[in-house]
Amino acid sequence: MKEKKRRIFTIQKHSASHLHYDFRLEMGGVLKSWAIPKGPSLDPSVKRLAVLVDDHEIAYADFEGVIEEGSYGAGPVLVWDMGDYEYMPASKGGDDPMVSFMAGKIEFILHGHRLKGRFVLLRLKGQEKNWLLIKGKDELAAPDRDIVSEETRSVLSKRSLEEMKEKERMGSLKTYRCGKDVH
Ligand code: MN
């Protein structure tokens, strides 16, 4: 059997003017991105608003640092989860997630540190930017858990947003990129 193509997914916890989780899936040569104010849920009965935002380049997937004051999205960013995903093709779509993106329904299996198993992103009818992220019903669903309260730190550096802000204030923050501290 042919190995399914694995693509990157990442979730960056970002404390800008409002705290949110940037959920990004690699497709069409970029990271398609949604801002999720409440973060993901492991409960299949919970629908989390996911607002489509600008595409990001794939190299941004493991960016961690503090976006400087005065820039768009100023505030700390940490990698809350990262891994790859298996796209579950729409009936006639072949192996191109962009087909499902355009159709407004993307089904996939996440292989992250914290998020695993089936999920779906659904565009709300008649809307362009408002989608819902929903956990699929599988053995990895966990309706009793509150994953965003349980897990607050970076999966890469183990830092919290508060620690990053403090380190930045002290001038000792290292920005994490491509698995390495860059400065
Ligand atoms: Mn953001």
Side-chain angles (χ1 to χ4, degrees), residues 12-181:
Q12 284 152 319
K13 185 178 182 183
H14 182 190
S15 177
S17 50
H18 298 280
L19 180 69
H20 60 275
Y21 295 76
D22 288 302
F23 185 89
R24 309 188 199 277
L25 296 175
E26 177 189 358
M27 64 178 84
V30 297
L31 296 171
K32 284 284 168 199
S33 301
W34 291 260
I36 305 179
K38 291 185 175 177
S41 170
L42 301 180
D43 182 348
S45 72
V46 170
K47 300 173 172 70
R48 288 281 157 88
L49 179 67
V51 181
L52 188 67
V53 293
D54 290 346
D55 297 345
H56 277 57
E57 57 180 288
I58 290 166
Y60 192 73
D62 64 355
F63 171 78
E64 245 177 43
V66 179
I67 299 172
E68 57 187 73
E69 221 51 61
S71 301
Y72 181 74
V77 176
L78 62 75
V79 177
W80 185 84
D81 200 7
M82 198 176 170
D84 55 41
Y85 78 97
E86 286 172 64
Y87 167 59
M88 299 171 74
S91 51
K92 290 176 193 155
D95 188 38
D96 182 5
M98 285 304 294
V99 172
S100 293
F101 175 82
M102 297 308 288
K105 182 182 182 183
I106 314 167
E107 293 183 88
F108 47 91
I109 298 168
L110 295 180
H111 301 279
H113 297 260
R114 293 171 179 163
L115 299 192
K116 297 173 197 291
R118 296 179 66 136
F119 283 82
V120 62
L121 271 165
L122 284 175
R123 189 170 58 218
L124 288 167
K125 276 207 169 63
Q127 302 208 26
E128 203 184 321
K129 301 210 180 267
N130 291 336
W131 295 58
L132 299 171
L133 178 70
I134 310 165
K135 177 78 190 85
K137 289 177 185 161
D138 60 17
E139 68 280 6
L140 298 163
D144 298 332
R145 290 181 60 192
D146 180 1
I147 189 80
V148 295
S149 304
E150 283 172 28
E151 303 287 357
T152 58
R153 291 170 178 270
S154 164
V155 291
L156 299 182
S157 65
K158 310 298 175 199
R159 292 186 292 226
S160 67
L161 290 174
E162 294 71 27
E163 286 168 4
M164 293 175 68
K165 283 292 281 183
E166 179 60 17
K167 284 192 175 189
E168 194 222 16
R169 209 176 57 76
M170 306 291 288
S172 64
L173 181 75
K174 288 183 171 141
T175 299
Y176 212 83
R177 197 81 191 257
C178 303
K180 294 187 184 82
D181 286 336

